[in-house]
Amino acid sequence: MKTLKSAAHDKVICSFFALALLIAGPVYSETSLWRVSKDDAELFIGGTIHLLGTSDYPLPEAFDRVYRKADKLVLEVDLADFSGQEAQIAMMRRLQYVDGTTLRDELNAETYAELQRFCQHVGIPIESLQNLKPPLVAISLMMFELHRLGLAEAGVDHFFSAKAQADNKPVGALESLETQISALEQMGLGQENELILSTLREIEELPALLGELKSAWRSGDLDTLDELGIAPMRSDYPSLYRELLVNRNNAWVPKIEAMLSTPERELILVGVLHLAGEKGVLQQLCERGYVVESYRSFPINLEKAFCHEE
């Protein structure tokens, strides 16, 4: 069995986007795909999760159908960038203390005591966390819980990334490796205690929350996903909400618009909460005059318009 530290080393970015299910839900369904179009141009956007359970496979056939129609796969970040040793070393240098500082030094006494109680309860040696910066501690704790709940398999992004490589299908990315590392490094900066305490609360609520998120996801209910996954963060941790969702959504939308002017038909896969909410990618595309429709595999057509041009 991998240690908490080694698991974080192997899957740090993947688990960052699974953090507290803020970026994605626990399962996926036929309603997690959308068609974006204007005139004769079209592309597809799929909401994904980055960690799955074995029972979640095989993926819904609709994903594979849209993948086959696409000329190019576009992910949040090209996962091949993370396979190299240099990338892993770069990430860990930025996410670990190298100047003698420890986690105990970073957190106030109340937060550290709360973390210590949690670690004792679940059997994690708190000493194994001392050299990790708070973002990586939060990721590691959430990964531990997600593994305990059975969400330990590679997710939709990894599945189609590997498939595209095997099929020699072009793969693009909305963000660079440096952008992802910087986003992770800045997560909760200046609010380290709040980040750790909120993570502990999310872990406590996670088993009960999974069922609600699963139901909302299966019905394609973005309003409920917004209510469950975005609204609490937007209210209680506005800076985290801006860092993890809003700023990145804002940066992605112009890139997606540019793709609609190319002859290729893209399939874009991003964490599903990037698609929900008033600042979500889909709403922003609607406001820019694009037609956004949910894609359903049965019947084989496009229905349930998200928005239409005026």
Side-chain angles (χ1 to χ4, degrees):
M1 179 177 179
K2 287 188 175 184
T3 66
L4 204 55
K5 190 171 180 179
S6 64
H9 183 279
D10 292 343
K11 295 185 177 181
V12 59
I13 293 298
C14 171
S15 40
F16 165 53
F17 290 114
L19 177 62
L21 299 181
L22 295 178
I23 305 303
V27 294
Y28 42 83
S29 74
E30 297 161 4
T31 56
S32 57
L33 289 163
W34 284 265
R35 176 180 181 261
V36 180
S37 64
K38 193 170 189 178
D39 300 326
D40 294 330
E42 71 170 1
L43 56 74
F44 296 95
I45 300 180
T48 74
I49 62 171
H50 307 291
L51 291 173
L52 298 173
T54 54
S55 63
D56 294 320
Y57 282 93
L59 298 177
E61 198 274 338
F63 276 93
D64 193 60
R65 180 183 294 119
V66 172
Y67 169 82
R68 291 196 302 269
K69 292 178 67 174
D71 303 303
K72 183 177 183 179
L73 176 68
V74 179
L75 306 172
E76 293 182 17
V77 65
D78 189 343
L79 297 177
D81 288 345
F82 295 112
S83 60
Q85 186 177 9
E86 289 185 7
Q88 292 291 329
I89 292 173
M91 285 188 288
M92 296 310 294
R93 281 178 177 170
R94 303 263 288 270
L95 297 171
Q96 288 183 313
Y97 295 114
V98 295
D99 60 357
T101 302
T102 67
L103 183 65
R104 183 190 286 271
D105 299 327
E106 189 75 67
L107 303 177
N108 63 36
E110 179 183 0
T111 301
Y112 190 82
E114 188 77 15
L115 175 61
Q116 193 167 33
R117 282 192 292 270
F118 172 83
C119 289
Q120 289 174 346
H121 177 71
V122 299
I124 298 172
I126 198 167
E127 292 78 14
S128 67
L129 305 177
Q130 289 301 324
N131 293 331
L132 308 185
K133 293 181 179 180
L136 187 51
V137 172
I139 290 166
S140 300
L141 296 178
M142 186 57 65
M143 277 292 291
F144 181 87
E145 180 65 8
L146 290 171
H147 278 242
R148 191 185 70 81
L149 295 174
L151 297 177
E153 301 297 319
V156 178
D157 317 71
H158 286 270
F159 178 86
F160 281 106
S161 176
K163 188 172 179 62
Q165 287 186 355
D167 295 340
N168 291 318
K169 179 169 289 194
V171 178
L174 292 170
E175 294 179 342
S176 67
L177 173 63
E178 172 58 30
T179 299
Q180 291 251 320
I181 295 176
S182 295
L184 182 55
E185 188 178 29
Q186 295 295 313
M187 188 173 71
L189 188 64
Q191 295 183 306
E192 289 79 8
N193 293 288
E194 291 86 348
L195 176 63
I196 296 301
L197 291 175
S198 67
T199 300
L200 296 179
R201 282 194 291 271
E202 290 288 347
I203 289 173
E204 182 179 356
E205 297 168 1
L206 192 55
L209 188 62
L210 281 174
E212 295 180 78
L213 287 168
K214 180 181 292 188
S215 177
W217 176 260
R218 284 208 173 276
S219 63
D221 187 348
L222 291 178
D223 289 338
T224 298
L225 288 168
D226 180 28
E227 178 184 350
L228 295 176
I230 299 177
M233 176 170 46
R234 184 170 56 228
S235 173
D236 299 337
Y237 305 100
S239 63
L240 198 61
Y241 164 65
R242 289 191 298 272
E243 292 166 11
L244 293 183
L245 290 178
V246 177
N247 293 345
R248 297 170 68 221
N249 292 348
N250 293 346
W252 292 352
V253 168
K255 297 178 181 180
I256 294 171
E257 281 194 287
M259 293 177 201
L260 283 161
S261 66
T262 66
E264 294 85 11
R265 180 190 290 117
E266 294 87 0
L267 167 59
I268 302 170
L269 296 177
V270 298
V272 72
L273 287 194
H274 284 289
L275 306 182
E278 60 183 13
K279 301 295 185 182
V281 167
L282 297 182
Q283 182 59 40
Q284 291 197 42
L285 289 169
C286 287
E287 293 170 356
R288 295 185 182 216
Y290 297 94
V291 179
V292 180
E293 303 161 294
S294 68
Y295 182 94
R296 295 180 184 271
S297 59
F298 300 106
I300 302 174
N301 63 6
L302 297 168
E303 55 181 64
K304 189 182 177 184
F306 184 92
C307 67
H308 289 286
E309 290 180 290
E310 297 295 335

